[in-house]
Amino acid sequence: EVQLVESGGGLVQPGRSLKLSCAASGFTFSDYYMAWVRQAPTRGLEWVASISYDGGSTHYRDSVKGRFTISRDNAERSLYLQMDSLRSEDTATYYCTCFNYGTDYFDYWGQGVMVTVSS
Amino acid sequence: DIVLTQSPATLSVTPGESVSLSCRASQGISTSIHWYQQKSNESIRLLIKFASQSISGIPSRFSGSGSGTDFTLSINRVESEDFSVYYCQQSYSLLTFGSGTKLEIK
């Protein structure tokens, strides 16, 4: 059974940092591109960042470029999202998900982890 | 960015009815549309890929159609477990999602 389990969320003040983690099991982790997708109550689902099989290629939505860093550890079967200079508009539930390059639909999703940016 | 408009925002139906959910793209995207189901307290689930291609393990009552700018997710004879929110997503240019259609019990 495929499982993606996110952790690391919480309440953080604007301008501070937070690191999300995602533990994967039940599939060959290194065979998939990985991504973070977030869902804020007022904005629906938004793709945030993606990373290639080996971590050599990353992509970000414009609003998080320079502030967020996606990374992965294939030996640990883990995905990460380092979030710096957080803003109130980053408040959302963050989902770990995977996809095949070239098809770009999301095969599996985690349960999500809540991030609240507020003073 | 390509904008996806889903309608209606909420659809109230009786179990056993058949329904169609709409997703319209702001420009032509061929068949690069995918559908997901989101239930409360559960993971989001892929239902249909590339407008009409089925996904292993998804009940056959779910089907998709369309190309270009207009797409439809159909549910034949809605069951109680189907009441949830449905999203479309395009992969033609970058990755964007629709705002969702909530299917609720009448």
Side-chain angles (χ1 to χ4, degrees):
Chain A
E1 179 192 5
V2 171
Q3 281 201 310
L4 295 168
V5 180
E6 303 95 338
S7 60
L11 174 62
V12 61
Q13 293 179 327
R16 304 297 291 265
S17 299
L18 204 61
K19 185 173 185 177
L20 304 182
S21 300
C22 170
S25 61
F27 66 104
T28 305
F29 184 71
S30 56
D31 281 354
Y32 282 85
Y33 270 54
M34 298 297 295
W36 290 96
V37 173
R38 67 186 179 186
Q39 185 173 33
T42 58
R43 293 203 306 276
L45 290 164
E46 287 183 336
W47 163 79
V48 175
S50 302
I51 188 166
S52 61
Y53 310 113
D54 62 357
S57 176
T58 57
H59 296 89
Y60 301 90
R61 69 179 299 107
D62 286 347
S63 62
V64 307
K65 278 181 186 174
R67 300 189 299 121
F68 289 12
T69 303
I70 189 171
S71 61
R72 66 189 295 164
D73 184 334
N74 285 348
E76 295 293 323
R77 303 170 60 83
S78 293
L79 176 72
Y80 305 100
L81 185 67
Q82 175 68 43
M83 303 185 293
D84 299 322
S85 303
L86 281 162
R87 305 168 180 169
S88 57
E89 56 263 37
D90 295 320
T91 294
T93 296
Y94 286 73
Y95 295 95
C96 171
T97 183
C98 60
F99 65 101
N100 283 297
Y101 179 73
T103 59
D104 296 343
Y105 56 83
F106 301 104
D107 291 85
Y108 303 106
W109 298 66
Q111 294 268 53
V113 62
M114 185 67 199
V115 173
T116 303
V117 184
S118 175
S119 54
Chain B
D1 289 5
I2 295 174
V3 176
L4 298 178
T5 302
Q6 290 189 245
S7 61
T10 303
L11 187 57
S12 300
V13 302
T14 303
E17 285 187 55
S18 295
V19 298
S20 293
L21 284 60
S22 172
C23 177
R24 178 165 290 178
S26 58
Q27 65 183 73
I29 58 171
S30 184
T31 57
S32 298
I33 201 80
H34 320 291
W35 291 92
Y36 302 87
Q37 177 189 52
Q38 183 176 33
K39 294 184 184 181
S40 297
N41 302 318
E42 291 189 23
S43 295
I44 296 172
R45 180 169 70 155
L46 176 67
L47 296 176
I48 298 287
K49 62 181 181 179
F50 293 109
S52 61
Q53 295 180 17
S54 59
I55 300 297
S56 175
I58 300 302
S60 59
R61 61 181 181 276
F62 291 94
S63 64
S65 64
S67 67
T69 59
D70 292 317
F71 303 89
T72 301
L73 174 69
S74 298
I75 310 175
N76 184 33
R77 298 186 179 180
V78 171
E79 298 189 5
S80 57
E81 63 191 39
D82 300 336
F83 291 101
S84 54
V85 182
Y86 294 86
Y87 293 96
C88 56
Q89 174 239 325
Q90 65 82 21
S91 58
Y92 186 84
S93 175
L94 301 180
L95 304 173
T96 56
F97 293 84
S99 55
T101 290
K102 180 179 181 181
L103 186 66
E104 64 177 26
I105 299 176
K106 181 185 284 184

